[in-house]
Amino acid sequence: MLSLASFLVSFLLILFSQFSISSYAATFEIRNDCPYTVWAAASPGGGRRLDPGQGWNLWVAPGTAMARIWGRTNCNFDGGGRGHCQTGDCGGVLECRGWGVPPNTLAEYALNQFGNMDFIDISLVDGFNIPMDFSPTSGGCRGIRCTADINGQCPNELRTPGGCHNPCTVFKTNEFCCTNGQGTCGPTYFSRFFKDRCPDAYSYPQDDPTSTFTCPGGTNYRVVFCPRGSPRNFPLEMVGSDMSEK
C-alpha cells in the first residue's frame, strides 16, 4: 500500500501535470491563402490586414471561451484604423473589440473546458463570406473545413454583396434562429443548403451533434482563409474594385 507521503506526492504530480497542460497559451496561426486581401479579425485578439500569403500569430490564454476568428473583405481603413468592411465589419475599426457583422464564416473555440478539452467548430450561423480550414497543428485530433463555393451557389433569398447570409439574419424567426430555446427548431431547406456543402460546419444554432469537435487542452491551431481545394476566384464584387486601405 502507498504511504500517505507517497500518495500525496503522486497526487501533487498528477495535479501539477494537469496544471502544466492547461497553463500555457494556445498558438493560433492565421494565414491568408486567398488571391485577394483579407482583414483577419479575432475576439479576443483584434485585427490585422493580411495580403495574399501573409500570416498572423495569436497567443490565447488557457480557459478562453466564446472566442472566434473570422475574415473581413473589401475593407478601407484610414491611418487611425477606422473605416468599413463589406463583410465581417466590427464597428468600423481595424482592431476588433467585438464580433463581426454577418455574413462571416467563423472559426469558434473554447479552450481547456470540461475534462481539459478544447471545443472547436466552424459556424455558418452568421452566414458565409470566405472558405476556411480550422485544423490543429498538434494534439493528434482532426481538422475541419468549409471550402464549397457557397457564395456562387447561394440561394437568391440569402444573397448579399460579398457573401451569403444565414436565413436567421434575413427572416429573424424562431424557425431559423431557434430563439425559443432548445428543441424548438430543426433543419430547414436553407440550413440543408449549407450542411450539404459543408457537413462539418454549424448550419443552424442547434446543429451541435455533427458540428462540435474536441482536441486535448494545450493543442495549437491554424486557421486558413481559402485553403487548397476551395474556390480561388475573387468575389464578384471585388473584381475591379480598390481593395487597398486608404
Side-chain angles (χ1 to χ4, degrees):
M1 293 179 61
L2 288 174
S3 67
L4 178 59
S6 297
F7 172 79
L8 289 174
V9 169
S10 299
F11 175 77
L12 289 173
L13 285 173
I14 293 171
L15 184 64
F16 176 77
S17 67
Q18 291 297 314
F19 174 78
S20 64
I21 289 172
S22 60
S23 61
Y24 292 102
T27 301
F28 285 78
E29 175 194 349
I30 304 168
R31 192 173 74 227
N32 178 24
D33 282 356
C34 298
Y36 50 86
T37 299
V38 172
W39 285 260
S43 176
R48 183 76 58 89
R49 172 181 172 143
L50 297 180
D51 290 326
Q54 289 187 327
W56 174 33
N57 286 343
L58 289 179
W59 290 268
V60 181
T64 298
M66 294 184 66
R68 55 180 55 183
I69 294 167
W70 69 100
R72 297 168 286 175
T73 60
N74 211 11
C75 303
N76 286 288
F77 293 104
D78 62 22
R82 299 200 64 83
H84 180 73
C85 298
Q86 185 180 57
T87 66
D89 189 75
C90 59
V93 293
L94 174 62
E95 292 281 350
C96 294
R97 294 184 288 270
W99 292 355
V101 175
N104 49 348
T105 315
L106 300 175
E108 300 181 313
Y109 62 92
L111 303 178
N112 312 102
Q113 301 298 302
F114 179 77
N116 195 37
M117 299 297 290
D118 296 347
F119 292 80
I120 67 171
D121 69 79
I122 289 177
S123 176
L124 305 181
V125 171
D126 279 359
F128 178 99
N129 64 338
I130 305 174
M132 178 184 287
D133 183 283
F134 185 11
S135 296
T137 58
S138 64
C141 44
R142 63 161 290 192
I144 49 181
R145 56 172 34 208
C146 179
T147 59
D149 185 17
I150 287 180
N151 287 344
Q153 301 171 13
C154 186
N156 289 333
E157 298 93 328
L158 306 182
R159 285 184 176 270
T160 189
C164 184
H165 274 310
N166 187 279
C168 176
T169 305
V170 175
F171 300 110
K172 299 179 175 61
T173 62
N174 180 68
E175 179 184 8
F176 302 113
C177 302
C178 306
T179 49
N180 292 346
Q182 188 69 28
T184 63
C185 65
T188 65
Y189 164 78
F190 290 119
S191 72
R192 291 188 185 97
F193 163 79
F194 291 104
K195 198 69 173 179
D196 288 346
R197 288 156 181 79
C198 291
D200 287 344
Y202 266 87
S203 59
Y204 70 99
Q206 294 181 10
D207 195 12
D208 305 81
T210 61
S211 308
T212 302
F213 301 86
T214 59
C215 288
T219 298
N220 297 316
Y221 299 93
R222 179 185 295 121
V223 175
V224 180
F225 303 123
C226 302
R228 182 177 299 178
S230 61
R232 303 289 295 172
N233 55 298
F234 287 74
L236 291 177
E237 297 78 11
M238 290 184 174
V239 175
S241 68
D242 181 5
M243 294 179 289
S244 62
E245 294 173 19
K246 296 180 179 179

